[in-house]
Amino acid sequence: MKLTKKSHACVRLEKDGRTLVLDPGMFTEEDAVLGADALLVTHEHPDHFDEGRLRAALDANPAAGLWTLRSVAERLAPAYPGRVHTVGDGDAFTAAGFDVEVHGELHAVIHPDIPRITNVGFLVDGAVFHPGDALTVPGRPVDTLLLPVMAPWNKISEVIDYVREVRPRRAYDIHDALLTDLARPIYDRQIGELGGTDHQRLASGASAEL
């Protein structure tokens, strides 16, 4: 499987000539969804869910489908009957040849005064886990963790403890558009030294073979 990092929380996974795209949001390049055979969206916040980008991908490929939680699915299902699938914690499905499990139910707490919304994480081919905006532990071994390193709802100690709890073989940064270049070496060093796993960072557009 080939993983390509796009800006912020979006990644592309390619296998056997097919492409799955996760969380193309407003900080993501418009071409992130080009050629997508399947799209997964973890929750409704605009840095993960850009309706225009999803519509462009679904229009460009009539065989493409979208798997997401109810709040996002309701926005798109009327225009794409049979192609938008509502999923939740504990579900499993196959999308464009990728086997996907759904883990998690709620977005991380931003502030006690802000109501929590639904958030799901996706485990792809039993190997790559994208938690969305939560520190969900999938309850099974994970080879590659897509690690949300910088958000209004987390701090670095929580990120480090999350890596320790999931215990992936490797972790790649996501959710990093708000992290300045000045801070990146600090995050790289502390997560790398304390997380207990192979911690890596890909520039937007860079790829890795998994």
Side-chain angles (χ1 to χ4, degrees):
M1 190 189 310
K2 179 181 178 182
L3 181 152
T4 300
K5 172 77 165 66
K6 305 300 285 186
S7 290
H8 198 51
C10 181
V11 298
R12 291 171 60 96
L13 299 175
E14 298 172 65
K15 182 186 72 172
D16 299 331
R18 308 190 79 184
T19 300
L20 182 151
V21 178
L22 296 100
D23 276 10
M26 66 180 183
F27 299 145
T28 302
E29 300 85 353
E30 291 190 15
D31 66 357
V33 297
L34 292 181
D37 299 291
L39 300 127
L40 308 182
V41 174
T42 62
H43 65 288
E44 66 201 66
H45 284 162
D47 56 328
H48 296 254
F49 162 50
D50 184 295
E51 185 171 345
R53 284 170 170 75
L54 293 176
R55 287 180 178 272
L58 293 168
D59 290 340
N61 180 3
L66 167 66
W67 285 259
T68 186
L69 40 68
R70 184 173 305 280
S71 59
V72 173
E74 288 176 344
R75 299 269 294 272
L76 291 161
Y80 302 96
R83 299 171 61 191
V84 178
H85 312 276
T86 301
V87 298
D89 182 51
D91 288 343
F93 57 90
T94 299
F98 295 86
D99 294 324
V100 184
E101 295 178 7
V102 185
H103 296 269
E105 299 180 79
L106 290 172
H107 192 287
V109 175
I110 301 172
H111 186 275
D113 291 351
I114 300 176
R116 296 175 74 183
I117 63 170
T118 307
N119 177 95
V120 294
F122 294 108
L123 179 62
V124 181
D125 278 354
V128 179
F129 185 57
H130 191 310
D133 272 7
L135 300 180
T136 301
V137 178
R140 56 176 292 180
V142 172
D143 187 72
T144 301
L145 175 64
L146 302 176
L147 181 65
V149 292
M150 204 287 175
W153 49 266
N154 73 12
K155 57 185 179 181
I156 196 168
S157 64
E158 296 171 335
V159 174
I160 292 166
D161 287 345
Y162 180 53
V163 175
R164 289 178 172 181
E165 189 170 5
V166 176
R167 300 176 62 188
R169 190 162 70 87
R170 68 172 73 87
Y172 285 106
D173 288 352
I174 60 167
H175 213 288
D176 55 357
L178 303 181
L179 188 63
T180 72
D181 288 340
L182 289 173
R184 287 185 184 276
I186 300 171
Y187 278 70
D188 291 345
R189 182 177 69 255
Q190 293 187 356
I191 297 172
E193 291 178 357
L194 300 175
T197 194
D198 178 16
H199 171 247
Q200 302 185 33
R201 176 162 49 87
L202 293 172
S204 181
S207 300
E209 295 291 337
L210 306 181

